[in-house]
Amino acid sequence: GENVEQHPSTLSVQEGDSAVIKCTYSDSASNYFPWYKQELGKGPQLIIDIRSNVGEKKDQRIAVTLNKTAKHFSLHITETQPEDSAVYFCAAKSWNNAGNMLTFGGGTRLMVKP
Amino acid sequence: KAGVTQTPRYLIKTRGQQVTLSCSPISGHRSVSWYQQTPGQGLQFLFEYFSETQRNKGNFPGRFSGRQFSNSRSEMNVSTLELGDSALYLCASSSGTSGGETQYFGPGTRLLVL
């Protein structure tokens, strides 16, 4: 089955700096890669996703890049703000799977210091 | 549209008991997935229901079961509770029509087994 590794597990940055979180996956058949943000006491919220036919996707301060050859994808947050502090999860889904089963990485706790 | 709702939000049970959790998906969504979130194991997929049929199943023992009703609402049941079942149980809904669509998570039910 799919295995997703996420690094780092914790990340501390100064407000205004950039943050990068990296994930690797094992199943070359995976074709959908969402990123979720989870704040304390809440469920995960989708912030951006990318499909395997695209190498990069950007939404304001957030961008995701995908390298299918190397089987890794990354989340980039620019101009970080204190409200970006949360736990971020990457996930992968294989096209072999007809449904919506996601395999998640272990999570990254991002702390943005004012 | 109203988001995904889960009831109850918090639950305390003792070992050996059983528990039923409920999830109401976003209106029009036909796929409901369940995940278990623990500090040690992270987010793990339990099962997915689509049009009242289980479409995918994760690697959990048979004590974990679920069902989906004709209105797409879903319930999951855990029988013979163990201490290790203490976790945040999340459900996510999506349209379910093509697989790999955006999944929207509810706030979760926090289960504590004593």
Side-chain angles (χ1 to χ4, degrees), chain B residues 26-42:
Chain B
I26 292 171
S27 178
H29 283 188
R30 295 163 61 192
S31 166
V32 174
S33 298
W34 289 89
Y35 293 83
Q36 181 196 64
Q37 185 175 26
T38 60
Q41 299 298 317

Side-chain angles (χ1 to χ4, degrees), chain A residues 35-100:
Chain A
W35 284 88
Y36 286 86
K37 174 184 180 182
Q38 187 174 27
E39 297 173 302
L40 199 62
K42 298 183 179 179
Q45 179 185 11
L46 180 80
I47 55 172
I48 196 167
D49 57 10
I50 192 167
R51 298 180 192 278
S52 59
N53 58 345
V54 176
E56 183 174 358
K57 185 177 179 180
K58 190 173 181 180
D59 182 5
Q60 298 182 6
R61 297 186 297 109
I62 294 173
V64 58
T65 58
L66 171 65
N67 184 326
K68 284 200 67 181
T69 303
K71 289 189 282 188
H72 68 70
F73 55 113
S74 300
L75 177 71
H76 304 253
I77 306 174
T78 58
E79 302 172 18
T80 54
Q81 301 166 3
E83 51 265 38
D84 293 330
S85 296
V87 180
Y88 291 80
F89 292 95
C90 62
K93 179 200 170 297
S94 170
W95 73 269
N96 286 328
N97 179 277
N100 288 300

Side-chain angles (χ1 to χ4, degrees), chain B residues 45-59:
Chain B
F45 174 81
L46 281 156
F47 29 65
E48 178 198 8
Y49 285 86
F50 175 72
S51 292
E52 303 179 63
T53 301
Q54 188 179 85
R55 185 157 68 172
N56 284 292
K57 189 178 189 303
N59 294 324

